[in-house]
Amino acid sequence: MKPQRTHVMIIGAGPAGSTLATLVARRGWSVVLVDRAVFPRPKACGEFLSPGALSALARLGLPLPGPEAGVLDRWTLAADGRNVTATFEDAPGASLPRAHLDTALIDEARSVGVEVLEQCAYSPS
């Protein structure tokens, strides 16, 4: 049996890595996506999706956000005792737990043939 050839290896299965893996695999390349974490992972960041991020997810073909997401129509920046608030003019953003986003992106990558390796870390000898 001939060993399978991997065209691309992507380190990091967060939103950027998972999205890249999906797009590359859709072009017909074999992709391995590697991360030291196990998914879904608890992560208290990236829980805000701008209208632009939602548009990018739609172009990727992901049905996000789901019913677990909150709708955001404005944002506030607070610094040095001052607040600035702005509204989204054309479309709302969303609040979505990072674990849901990570899971959806990795599931999409797997669905197009990406091999996902979890709990992998480099250990110099």
Side-chain angles (χ1 to χ4, degrees), residues 4-13 17-18 20-21 24-25 29-35 114-117 120-122:
Q4 178 182 343
R5 179 179 176 158
T6 298
H7 294 114
V8 178
M9 178 177 281
I10 298 170
I11 310 299
S18 296
L20 179 61
V24 170
W29 294 63
S30 61
V31 180
V32 175
L33 179 60
V34 180
D35 201 293
V114 173
E115 181 181 358
V116 179
L117 303 177
C120 291
Y122 173 71

Side-chain angles (χ1 to χ4, degrees), residues 10-69:
I10 298 170
I11 310 299
S18 296
T19 299
L20 179 61
T22 297
L23 294 172
V24 170
R26 286 180 181 173
R27 296 257 184 193
W29 294 63
S30 61
V31 180
V32 175
L33 179 60
V34 180
D35 201 293
R36 75 174 113 200
V38 174
F39 293 88
R41 63 180 171 179
K43 191 160 176 131
C45 70
E47 297 198 6
F48 163 71
L49 298 170
S50 70
L54 294 176
S55 176
L57 291 170
R59 288 191 310 273
L60 193 61
L62 287 178
L64 287 175
E68 68 280 355

